[in-house]
Amino acid sequence: MPAAATGVLRERYGWRMHVGVLGPLEVRAGDGSPVAVPDTRVRTLLVLLALARGRVVPVDRLVADLWGERPPARPAAVLQARVSQLRGALERGEPGGRALVRHRPPGYLLDGADLDLDRFEGLLSRARDAAPRERAGLLSRALDLWRGPAAAGFADLDGVREEAVRLEERRLTALEDLARTRLELGDHAGLADDLAGPAREHPYRERLHAALLRALYAAGRQGEALTRYEELRTRLADDLGVDPGPELTDLHRAVLLQDPDLKREPAPPAGNLPAPAAELVGRDTEVAAVRGLLERHRLVTVTGPGGVGKTSLALAAALGAAADPALPLDLAALDRDPYTALATALGVRDGDGDLTGRIAALLRGRRALLVVDNCEHVVDEVADLAAGLLAALPDLRILATSQVPLAVAGEYLYPLAPLDAPVDDTPAALAASPAARLFLARAEAAGARPGTDPDTVAAVAAICRRLDGIPLALELAATRLRHLGAADLAARLDDRFALLGTGRRDAPARQRTLRAAIDWSWEQLAAPERALLSRLAVFADGCDPAAAEAVGEGSLDLVGALVDRSLVVASTRPEGTRYRLLESVALYCLEHLAAAGREHRARTRHAVYFAGLAEAADARLRGPGQAEALALLDREEANLRAASDFAVRAGDAATALRLAVALTWYRYL
């Protein structure tokens, strides 16, 4: 199949089948599920094609490797049948999988698969020119790909043996390079323990033993280092009739003389990222995902509402990323352009010449990671900064946090959702809920000890749900448990902005209170956006696009802008798109709506709209559209009740009666 067709299939089906030969043969579909490849010769064929790494393997060579000196009567036809079997197995594993095995004269090749071999070689290639700390990370990841001996179970075949030996040599060389790099970084004690096993398995590799001896000596184990040297010298003399090479001999002499050059102080950490003050709870999956994205994309932007934990996630992901250096740039209190702020962080003095060029010159050739935090209020300036630096520095990665996308070419958005709240009021649900775990951990750290009785468990679950799983709100609420029981705290959440009015003194001003966090987002909005957001707050349990336009008195483009700013949550369901506000955002907006004297108008429009919706649905309840009408009314149950309640409170008898009459048959059903 032509390469273009393979690309079309990959785009259509979204597959990237994994084939692993760094250990036993492993085939997995794009979703990670195992793919069965029956028949030993078919599996051998796949191993041979995988080891070729996208190169064509001639038919005669495949026949010789598969059948040796006893080929079948019609070898080309039998080989074609085996190829067909292999294609069928891959197709069963994932639609479009058969396109991976292609015919190209004079033979066949494996094209488009995710090969662990390619990953291994790619990481080694990147490690060659990397700085020490990044090199260590790349080599470690390359070695982690190995699950056993190369092509295990097939390495004795003539067509596999030579390549398996070559790969094993590459693995050992990478291990030795990693050992040298870790010595350079000052990681002595850990390295000495890690090399003990490989040194026993490979007793004649002098470079490996030299690294072990250096690590032992630098870790303060001089006697053990000398003993290891004598054991190696004896083994080489008895088994091979040779003496240790010059490197080992010189090293032995340096150990005896206690040469100070054999010890290095640990290298300082790359960059100056702040260490976390508290454990990041419930975000392990997200941290791993962002680190993975930084390997594949040069600009990753973590988006989400205020207080959801974007900064904490970004710093946790950056601290474990392979970068040299990793630099933080917090723009929350920015009173100048981002270029000047970055130059100051890098120690580049403002003066004559192109500032961007001098920043680029400082970082060129280094796999730097720039963590740009709180971009939403200077998004245009940050977009220019990112575009300029990424164009000038091919090795640079940027991890940004913002409530709105940067809208730069190549940007990958990672929307950060709130923590999952408990699904019910049981201890098991609390234990399974990241939101509850965070709330209880912060409560314990604040000196509170919530009980485990049913009422307390139910109250904690309610707190987590009503605060929408927002980490900042949960942390602020947790400190209140020093003075309030969980049930009392849950009962007072209608007045949450007063209740959660104080926080950590060392926190940024925008995160010291729940109101301040939402104020920060509100202040970035234009007047039409504020008006629409306030009107959307009158909905109960969200709305669809038509209701948003009718009641909100704004266009869907404006709603989309609020979604981009993480103030409106959009979810796609089988019945269509639905918009909703987090409860804290809705309460904040209702305050503004009431203060502006516009709440009555907005709620009136809401009640009239849903009276019309109920009447239209009622007309369909007695015909073939009954199922859809029932589903619609079920979906809008909360809005219908809110509309009825408001009409009664406001003395709007006409609208209240319309709703009551239109919903009678629905209530009866």
Side-chain angles (χ1 to χ4, degrees):
M1 181 174 290
T6 305
V8 169
L9 283 171
R10 185 178 298 114
E11 181 178 353
R12 178 179 299 168
Y13 293 107
W15 52 260
R16 178 101 165 120
M17 191 170 286
H18 169 77
V19 179
V21 290
L22 298 180
L25 176 64
E26 178 183 68
V27 186
R28 293 189 177 275
D31 62 1
S33 59
V35 176
V37 181
D39 190 275
T40 301
R41 280 203 170 88
V42 176
R43 292 169 61 81
T44 305
L45 171 62
L46 179 55
V47 169
L48 292 169
L49 295 177
L51 290 174
R53 294 184 62 203
R55 298 185 299 273
V56 176
V57 184
V59 168
D60 56 354
R61 179 180 162 188
L62 288 172
V63 170
D65 291 341
L66 286 169
W67 287 282
E69 298 178 357
R70 302 178 62 183
R74 299 170 56 209
V78 176
L79 174 62
Q80 189 174 8
R82 293 290 184 264
V83 169
S84 180
Q85 287 179 265
L86 176 57
R87 286 172 171 164
L90 299 179
E91 183 71 22
R92 286 190 296 274
E94 187 147 16
R98 65 169 52 253
L100 291 174
V101 181
R102 297 172 51 200
H103 176 262
R104 182 187 296 169
Y108 296 91
L109 73 155
L110 187 68
D111 179 46
D114 172 29
L115 292 175
D116 58 358
L117 265 179
D118 287 340
R119 292 189 185 187
F120 177 67
E121 295 291 352
L123 289 167
L124 294 189
S125 177
R126 288 169 53 191
R128 277 196 294 272
D129 300 322
R133 192 170 298 278
E134 181 189 0
R135 188 192 318 138
L138 292 169
L139 290 171
S140 293
R141 287 169 50 204
L143 292 167
D144 286 344
L145 294 172
W146 286 72
R147 297 167 288 106
F154 301 92
D156 291 337
L157 299 176
D158 290 340
V160 178
R161 185 181 302 111
E162 182 178 343
E163 183 64 14
V165 170
R166 186 193 74 82
L167 286 171
E168 178 64 16
E169 178 61 29
R170 292 279 285 164
R171 183 183 74 84
L172 289 173
T173 301
L175 178 63
E176 292 165 347
D177 290 344
L178 175 59
R180 289 294 181 94
T181 304
R182 290 176 65 181
L183 285 170
E184 186 177 348
L185 293 170
D187 181 11
H188 305 132
L191 179 61
D193 293 334
D194 291 346
L195 289 184
R200 284 192 299 271
E201 296 171 11
H202 304 280
Y204 308 122
R205 292 192 71 93
E206 294 193 26
R207 189 165 177 250
L208 184 63
H209 284 268
L212 175 58
L213 265 59
R214 286 179 178 273
L216 287 170
Y217 177 79
R221 296 154 67 178
Q222 179 180 353
E224 191 174 345
L226 292 172
T227 300
R228 289 270 186 174
Y229 175 82
E230 288 300 325
E231 291 174 351
L232 177 62
R233 186 185 63 79
T234 302
R235 187 182 305 113
L236 290 172
D238 293 347
D239 296 352
L240 304 178
V242 298
D243 291 326
E247 180 184 4
L248 273 172
T249 303
D250 292 344
L251 177 59
H252 179 243
R253 184 180 302 110
V255 170
L256 289 172
L257 296 175
Q258 299 187 10
D259 189 336
D261 288 342
L262 290 179
K263 288 189 176 182
R264 287 181 185 268
E265 292 300 319
N272 56 344
L273 293 175
E279 178 189 7
L280 186 61
V281 177
R283 294 297 196 191
D284 292 348
T285 300
E286 291 86 346
V287 169
V290 171
R291 284 179 186 163
L293 290 172
L294 285 172
E295 291 298 325
R296 302 190 299 276
H297 303 278
R298 298 184 61 207
L299 172 59
V300 177
T301 303
V302 179
T303 61
V308 80
K310 300 183 294 294
T311 299
S312 298
L313 174 67
L315 291 176
L319 282 168
D324 180 32
L327 301 163
L329 185 62
D330 187 356
L331 304 181
L334 186 71
D335 57 359
R336 51 193 167 174
D337 68 278
Y339 280 100
T340 304
L342 177 58
T344 301
L346 291 172
V348 176
R349 294 186 178 181
D350 199 359
D352 295 335
D354 175 30
L355 191 59
T356 305
R358 285 185 286 139
I359 292 173
L362 185 64
L363 296 176
R364 186 166 290 114
R366 304 172 70 181
R367 187 177 167 83
L369 172 62
L370 184 59
V371 183
V372 189
D373 196 22
N374 299 299
C375 303
E376 52 271 1
H377 61 303
V378 284
V379 66
D380 291 336
E381 294 83 353
V382 175
D384 291 340
L385 171 73
L389 289 179
L390 291 172
L393 297 167
D395 295 322
L396 176 68
R397 298 287 189 275
I398 296 178
L399 175 57
T401 74
S402 178
Q403 293 179 14
V404 60
L406 301 184
V408 174
E411 179 184 33
Y412 190 101
L413 295 179
Y414 185 82
L416 182 60
L419 295 170
D420 290 336
V423 295
D424 56 42
D425 299 343
T426 63
L430 258 62
S433 163
R437 295 204 307 272
L438 173 65
F439 178 81
L440 293 172
R442 296 298 185 260
E444 183 177 356
R449 300 293 185 269
T452 58
D453 58 280
D455 290 342
T456 300
V457 169
V460 170
I463 291 166
C464 295
R465 287 193 287 266
R466 293 204 58 194
L467 294 177
D468 296 301
I470 296 292
L472 174 62
L474 293 170
E475 292 184 352
L476 292 172
T479 63
R480 290 300 187 189
L481 289 186
R482 288 197 302 261
H483 316 295
L484 282 174
D488 292 327
L489 179 61
R492 293 169 179 263
L493 285 181
D494 284 339
D495 192 23
R496 66 188 62 187
F497 297 117
L499 182 67
L500 308 181
T502 58
R504 295 195 337 262
R505 294 184 180 89
D506 62 337
R510 70 187 186 283
Q511 293 181 353
R512 289 178 187 168
T513 70
L514 183 58
R515 183 182 295 279
I518 305 178
D519 278 340
W520 172 264
S521 302
W522 179 266
E523 289 165 4
Q524 316 305 322
L525 301 179
E529 292 172 324
R530 292 182 182 181
L532 174 58
L533 184 64
S534 296
R535 290 191 285 265
L536 292 179
V538 302
F539 287 98
D541 197 30
C543 64
D544 60 23
E549 288 182 295
V551 178
E553 301 180 72
S555 68
L556 287 183
D557 287 342
L558 207 56
V559 177
L562 293 173
V563 173
D564 283 344
R565 289 189 172 276
S566 307
L567 287 167
V568 173
V569 180
S571 57
T572 303
R573 305 176 182 179
E575 62 270 18
T577 303
R578 193 143 184 103
Y579 303 116
R580 70 179 181 89
L581 273 59
L582 299 179
E583 184 173 331
S584 296
V585 174
L587 290 174
Y588 179 94
C589 291
L590 287 174
E591 284 188 3
H592 278 269
L593 199 62
R598 296 172 182 158
E599 184 178 5
H600 188 276
R601 170 186 166 84
R603 290 198 180 278
T604 299
R605 290 183 65 88
H606 175 271
V608 170
Y609 176 86
F610 280 98
L613 181 144
E615 288 168 339
D618 180 60
R620 298 163 57 199
L621 286 177
R622 297 165 181 81
Q626 184 187 74
E628 292 80 6
L630 283 171
L632 171 64
L633 293 172
D634 284 344
R635 192 161 58 248
E636 300 295 354
E637 171 72 12
N639 277 312
L640 292 166
R641 289 189 180 278
S644 296
D645 291 346
F646 170 75
V648 171
R649 289 198 313 271
D652 184 355
T655 303
L657 188 59
R658 287 177 63 194
L659 283 160
V661 172
L663 293 173
T664 298
W665 186 235
Y666 166 68
R667 302 291 186 207
Y668 177 80
L669 290 177

